[in-house]
Amino acid sequence: MKLGRKLLGDRDIELFIGQVLRVGVVTASSIALLGGIAYLAQQGAASVPDYSQFTGEGAGYTSFRGIFRGVAIGNATEIIQLGVLVLLATPILRIFFSLAAFAVERDRLYVVITTIVLGIILVSMFGGLKI
Amino acid sequence: MNILIFSLILLGGAYLAGLLGSLTGLGGGVVVIPLLTLVFHVDIRYAIGAALLASIANSSGAATAYIKEGITNVRLGMFLEIATTAGAVGGALIAVFTPVNTIAILFGVVLIFSALMTIRKKSEHAEQTGSKLSYLLKLNGSYPTPAGEVSYKLKNVGGGFSIMLLAGVLSGLLGIGSGALKVLAMDGAMRIPFKVSTTTSNFMIGVTAAASAVVYLQRGYIDPGIAFPVVLGVLGGAFTGARLLTIMNPKTLRIIFCIAISFVALEMIYNGLHYQF
């Protein structure tokens, strides 16, 4: 990544983005697998909750704070949700990298387009919903 | 049934769904929803949450290989993601006010449409003249084929963009990647070669699904006990499917699977009409 040589080629950036996606998925599924094994070890013998009735999950599973608190004390279900968070973060991270890549290429049009996409996702994340 | 057995059966089922989704080209997420609702009697909202995650995992996992081959049109994907993410957030917001039976019926209809789309004839035709907008937005590109690099141009950018908006809404509402509709927008309306359409569609699914999944996560649609077997199973199945596809061309198999999945879709519609969700 030496500046001055001819910045980063389009192709290098695309390949890098591909790597980001792969690493994200592998990390997320490894965390989910670990959490899943711990979950089965802790609660495997209990009977299955009634999934035919939708009750919605509590704050422990649906907010950053709740998930991290659970992970800190080693709760298996929250570890799985952490894997879910990493999985959700992967494509969002990809957009960040695309944005940086277009900025490096001084492609103003695509910097704007990518910012719009990122904006939509961030609004849906933080748009007055519980965090 | 205890949790251990339930999880293992679900893992196996999700693996088969991922395999089937990969071989048919429908995507694992779309197959896992009827499995969860019709076989395991899981509420469709939990099924949607898990299926969205499976779609993200599949899309991100497969994208690496496609990008390496240089088929994916990253600029086009990025531009169309404006439509799909806006639609997906909208769809996820409408979902709260939509009765589950309506969602099930709509899901069945989209599933049949998707199955029809995968068995229809594919055109690998590359247009040589593009519309004004396609030059302005730098959407035209080229991709490698056995006969060498082929360049292609785009038509009807506005039409494609509108279909993408609809694809986004359905993705957010039903928790699927709606790859079939994305492909329709690209190779039907914008006249992009089929291979570029499918890989670019796959590339976009992760971002589209993530846009609505964050809404679903906060609404409590994502249950860890369902999420982990489904994500791991579908991902594993899709991986096996991708391997199998390199050594065989399951044309007949694909038609059989698509007919089978249409019957499943009919059952979803039937149950939806009889308020059984």
Side-chain angles (χ1 to χ4, degrees), chain A residues 99-114:
Chain A
L99 183 65
F102 288 128
V104 167
E105 284 181 50
R106 292 171 200 283
D107 188 335
R108 242 184 243 162
L109 177 65
Y110 273 85
V111 168
V112 172
I113 288 175
T114 311

Side-chain angles (χ1 to χ4, degrees), chain B residues 46-99:
Chain B
Y46 288 132
I48 287 175
L52 270 175
L53 297 178
S55 300
I56 298 173
N58 262 354
S59 156
S60 305
T64 322
Y66 291 138
I67 292 176
K68 209 172 265 173
E69 288 170 43
I71 307 174
T72 311
N73 186 332
V74 175
R75 277 201 168 74
L76 175 67
M78 207 68 233
F79 168 66
L80 292 175
E81 274 166 11
I82 296 179
T84 58
T85 49
V89 174
L93 293 177
I94 309 170
V96 205
F97 307 105
T98 313

